[in-house]
Amino acid sequence: MTMTRTRIALLSAVAAGLVVSGYAFALPEGVDTIQVKAASKDHPLDELYSGWHFRTPETQALQEDDFENPGFLWVEQGVDLWETADGSEGKSCASCHGDAAESMAEAGAAMPKWNEALGKPVNMEQQINLCRSERMGAKPWKWESSELLSMTAFVRNQSRGKPVDVQVDGPMKPWFEKGETLYNTRVGQLDLACSSCHQNYYGQSIRADRLSQGQSNGFPTYRLKWQKLGSLHRRFKGCMSQVRAEPYKVGSDEFLALELYVNWRGQGLPVETPAVRQ
Amino acid sequence: MKALGLKGKTMEDMTRRDALAFAAGLVAITVLPLPVLAAEETAMDEINKFVGGGEAAESGRVTLETPEIAENGNTVPLTVMVDSPMTADDYVKRVLIVADANPRPGVATFHFSPKSGVAEASTRMRLARTQNVIAVAELSDGSFHMAKSMVKVTIGGCGG
Amino acid sequence: MAKSKPRVKAPKKADKGEVIAIKTLISHKMESGQRKDKKGDLIPRQIINRFTAKFNGESVFEVDIEPAISANPYLQFNMRVEEAGEFEFIWEDDDGSVYTKKQKLDVT
């Protein structure tokens, strides 16, 4: 990646800001840092920043307090659902997985993951629904339903503070490459790729909004705009609609590949679920 | 992101193609918003009803804390404080909160009692656009006091 | 969310005369009555319209809530502690539902 002078100036400004600003290190409990160096030299970014950095102090404060953070309303619903038996087998999540704090301590940081039986990767939402249909004999939850969001947020929250660590080699490689291509392909009437904003102009203003790196480590995320928790695929759809493109469907192979690639772009950033964004 | 010292840069190294795409997007966006509907009842009406012939003074006894800029109008934090001993014979009875450019100006009315200890409350509100938020407090001695605060409400990147 | 669920954060113990902060949050969409559905019809208003905080049966703090309060309404307020007892928090919904939560307070 060639570094423009603007980018170097921008990065030093960010670095300087981190040192002088009081709230930058007042992180949510269990989160050590929200800014890390890219893991590998061939990473398109030098420094990785959680979307938290690009928000106003009020939005940041909302995430910092586990009581005031409305995303925890969903996490709490997930606590109940974890213990609730459903389907023909009379099982709950806890029947197989026991205490989520132990069994799910790493899972939230490592999705999407290769599924040998299906011959493709699955993300957290898909894995939860696979458990429901195959082990519990229960109906899969609808994408973006309160139940699926709650369970996804609850499970990912168990991995809060753990660095994102997705596998991108072996059978995952073609999916990773597909995701990378999607990320860099211009779409829609505005003719913008993900990279047009989140790679090339993060930290700068798009109208009154501050562009982030488009990191995924806080999903499902409570968005002020949505006034509720929402999935990463919902966010992808929103971005695509806003550049006046025809969005892919939630749970589609395209979004799955994109999720894998975007998660890799945040490799090393701690899981923040449930994050709060604008 | 004031604290990070990042000022919005002009996109000097933006390609001409990007710039045109952005311009096209901006034009499309500026024609979209519908005219703001006239409020059925204005903020002034609400305040007049609340003070019932009395007069609310900007005496400095009411403090209204709101962000200068709200990233999204759907969730704007607000804290109101009234300087009062909160004893049985000298306390704040009610505080009315109105937003003067919302389709309906009423936001909330807080009812305090001497048991409250201090006259302070926080909530989160919806603001349809940049506007004034006004707090009017009624004290147990029958006097009214007010404070006003302007909140700039921004619209997200591509119109979201 | 399917069903509204309240959350309360208040101290379990306090000193006599101490002023304590109480935070409450309830999951609720707070449908404002101003929005239209895909067909262009107004979506009927459904909000939490009133909140009451009582201690030992006596009102401490109440709020008349308008549709301009954000979804998942958050309220923070205070109480001067005079005696041990029990809080009762009450949220009233436009649809007639009433959500309550109780919590004990010890005085040291």
Side-chain angles (χ1 to χ4, degrees):
Chain A
M1 166 194 169
T2 52
M3 241 188 165
T4 63
R5 192 170 297 168
T6 320
R7 173 51 47 78
I8 294 166
L10 175 70
L11 282 173
S12 10
V14 171
L18 284 174
V19 177
V20 296
S21 62
Y23 60 81
F25 291 100
L27 305 179
E29 201 186 330
V31 176
D32 301 312
T33 173
I34 302 200
Q35 174 233 338
V36 296
K37 283 224 179 305
S40 60
K41 275 205 181 115
D42 56 352
H43 197 286
L45 300 162
D46 300 304
E47 299 269 347
L48 314 184
Y49 296 98
S50 157
W52 185 86
H53 268 308
F54 301 93
R55 305 283 49 97
T56 59
E58 291 81 15
T59 311
Q60 291 179 330
L62 209 52
Q63 177 178 327
E64 280 180 325
D65 184 318
D66 281 1
F67 183 83
E68 293 182 24
N69 178 346
F72 275 90
L73 290 166
W74 280 261
V75 174
E76 277 193 352
Q77 199 192 355
V79 174
D80 296 343
L81 287 170
W82 182 262
E83 304 282 346
T84 308
D86 197 5
S88 57
E89 305 303 305
K91 284 184 190 168
S92 70
C93 303
S95 312
C96 296
H97 298 292
D99 182 1
E102 277 177 37
S103 61
M104 296 294 139
E106 311 284 339
M111 303 299 274
K113 210 171 178 175
W114 184 254
N115 183 303
E116 198 57 56
L118 293 179
K120 58 179 276 193
V122 292
N123 73 359
M124 186 62 82
E125 285 90 341
Q126 291 164 331
Q127 182 58 56
I128 289 165
N129 272 337
L130 278 173
C131 275
R132 287 183 61 78
S133 56
E134 291 182 5
R135 295 204 204 177
M136 297 165 70
K139 245 180 88 181
W141 283 318
K142 256 184 82 180
W143 205 284
E144 225 57 34
S145 63
S146 157
E147 289 84 1
L148 189 54
L149 282 170
S150 295
M151 186 56 75
T152 308
F154 168 70
V155 174
R156 264 209 117 191
N157 180 251
Q158 306 308 309
S159 307
R160 188 162 65 154
K162 295 274 162 51
V164 172
D165 185 16
V166 286
Q167 187 203 340
V168 295
D169 55 2
M172 298 291 270
K173 202 165 176 235
W175 289 81
F176 174 80
E177 284 166 353
K178 184 180 176 181
E180 184 178 28
T181 304
L182 284 167
Y183 193 89
N184 292 299
T185 304
R186 289 172 177 272
V187 292
Q189 289 176 332
L190 297 197
D191 198 32
L192 292 169
C194 308
S195 57
S196 311
C197 291
H198 298 291
Q199 168 72 36
N200 302 342
Y201 293 107
Y202 72 83
Q204 301 191 23
S205 292
I206 177 166
R207 303 221 284 166
D209 205 358
R210 184 79 60 187
L211 281 170
S212 74
Q213 287 184 342
Q215 296 289 3
S216 54
N217 55 315
F219 279 87
T221 285
Y222 190 91
R223 275 193 88 201
L224 306 183
K225 180 191 171 187
W226 294 336
Q227 303 184 69
K228 61 179 293 206
L229 205 73
S231 71
L232 180 62
H233 289 199
R234 179 180 180 190
R235 188 69 193 92
F236 285 163
K237 266 181 80 175
C239 255
M240 288 190 79
S241 308
Q242 283 167 359
V243 301
R244 319 269 191 279
E246 185 69 46
Y248 299 110
K249 292 197 162 38
V250 292
S252 63
D253 284 354
E254 286 84 359
F255 277 168
L256 188 62
L258 189 59
E259 176 176 355
L260 176 66
Y261 177 71
V262 170
N263 286 4
W264 173 81
R265 288 176 66 89
Q267 196 91 302
L269 277 177
V271 172
E272 271 174 49
T273 309
V276 180
R277 300 289 183 261
Q278 82 285 25
Chain B
M1 255 214 352
K2 234 179 337 186
L4 295 195
L6 283 174
K7 283 265 181 277
K9 295 221 178 234
T10 53
M11 298 198 174
E12 53 211 27
D13 47 1
M14 202 181 198
T15 64
R16 184 178 151 75
R17 195 181 161 90
D18 282 337
L20 285 174
F22 264 94
L26 290 183
V27 169
I29 289 152
T30 40
V31 298
L32 280 179
L34 297 168
V36 177
L37 298 171
E40 289 164 16
E41 198 166 37
T42 66
M44 246 2 257
D45 295 340
E46 290 267 336
I47 293 170
N48 286 337
K49 212 162 60 187
F50 185 80
V51 301
E55 219 169 279
E58 283 194 69
S59 56
R61 287 188 70 174
V62 182
T63 308
L64 189 54
E65 278 181 5
T66 53
E68 195 187 329
I69 296 171
E71 278 190 294
N72 189 290
N74 281 340
T75 314
V76 183
L78 160 139
T79 297
V80 64
M81 288 165 281
V82 187
D83 181 18
S84 162
M86 296 303 275
T87 57
D89 38 84
D90 186 1
Y91 67 99
V92 178
K93 287 170 101 168
R94 299 184 297 163
V95 176
L96 170 78
I97 308 288
V98 292
D100 71 359
N102 267 1
R104 292 184 57 207
V107 175
T109 306
F110 300 117
H111 300 257
F112 295 96
S113 70
K115 275 180 161 292
S116 304
V118 292
E120 179 178 335
S122 303
T123 189
R124 300 167 189 155
M125 66 187 160
R126 292 165 168 158
L127 296 179
R129 59 188 175 104
T130 296
Q131 58 187 295
N132 289 308
V133 179
I134 303 158
V136 188
E138 180 189 5
L139 272 52
S140 56
D141 66 4
S143 65
F144 293 92
H145 304 263
M146 64 178 277
K148 197 155 66 172
S149 158
M150 229 255 293
V151 183
K152 290 176 195 139
V153 177
T154 67
I155 298 169
C158 303
Chain C
M1 304 201 93
K3 204 168 163 272
S4 288
K5 213 180 153 183
R7 295 181 93 199
V8 169
K9 190 181 184 184
K12 300 254 156 63
K13 262 190 235 171
D15 295 328
K16 191 172 153 60
E18 188 184 346
V19 176
I20 57 169
I22 299 142
K23 297 176 178 187
T24 71
L25 191 64
I26 187 166
S27 57
H28 200 283
K29 61 189 171 181
M30 295 293 282
E31 190 60 59
S32 68
Q34 305 272 336
R35 298 197 313 151
K36 286 178 179 171
D37 63 17
K38 281 176 185 155
K39 285 189 284 180
D41 299 328
L42 266 188
I43 304 171
R45 176 186 129 153
Q46 197 205 329
I47 66 166
I48 296 285
N49 59 55
R50 186 149 177 97
F51 170 80
T52 308
K54 290 181 181 174
F55 189 73
N56 289 342
E58 258 187 79
S59 169
V60 175
F61 177 74
E62 296 178 31
V63 189
D64 301 320
I65 299 172
E66 301 291 335
I69 291 296
S70 307
N72 308 308
Y74 171 80
L75 289 165
Q76 183 178 337
F77 54 94
N78 301 276
M79 186 184 82
R80 184 184 285 126
V81 178
E82 299 296 349
E83 55 184 356
E86 191 177 47
F87 285 109
E88 188 182 9
F89 305 101
I90 305 158
W91 291 261
E92 293 170 51
D93 192 309
D94 276 351
D95 73 359
S97 310
V98 177
Y99 305 98
T100 60
K101 199 171 170 91
K102 290 183 179 182
Q103 188 171 314
K104 288 211 162 32
L105 175 74
D106 280 340
V107 169
T108 48

